Amino acid sequence: MMSATSTLALTHFVTLADSFDKDKVTPGVLGFIVFAVIGGAVWLLMKSMNKHMRKVDFEETPEDGQAATTAAPAAAAPKPKTS
């Protein structure tokens, strides 16, 4: 047996179902497909970016001319005098 509150609640749901506009624009299946394609494209771009970033060498290597000049003054620097 249904109580008065549940009957009242069901009558409100029936009126909401009748007021549903069938001409209302909703994303539907096409919206989901477009969203899924965009998500897949972003995933592939991120995967490609990670692949390219792994190839990057972040260590700075000195050029041939600079290697000899920077090493020599650093080794020949005099020590400060202390009294």
Side-chain angles (χ1 to χ4, degrees):
M1 189 93 182
M2 294 178 64
S3 68
T5 55
S6 61
T7 306
L8 185 62
L10 287 176
T11 58
H12 287 297
F13 285 132
V14 171
T15 59
L16 287 175
D18 287 340
S19 67
F20 178 71
D21 187 13
K22 293 181 181 171
D23 295 328
K24 183 178 180 183
V25 177
T26 59
V29 176
L30 181 63
F32 174 74
I33 291 171
V34 169
F35 187 75
V37 167
I38 291 172
V42 168
W43 181 75
L44 288 173
L45 284 170
M46 294 283 290
K47 188 174 177 181
S48 175
M49 183 189 69
N50 283 333
K51 185 173 115 177
H52 283 84
M53 290 300 283
R54 284 191 195 107
K55 291 180 182 179
V56 174
D57 183 21
F58 288 106
E59 287 186 27
E60 187 175 331
T61 56
E63 295 179 10
D64 294 336
Q66 289 180 343
T69 58
T70 57
K79 294 183 180 179
K81 295 181 179 180
T82 56
S83 321

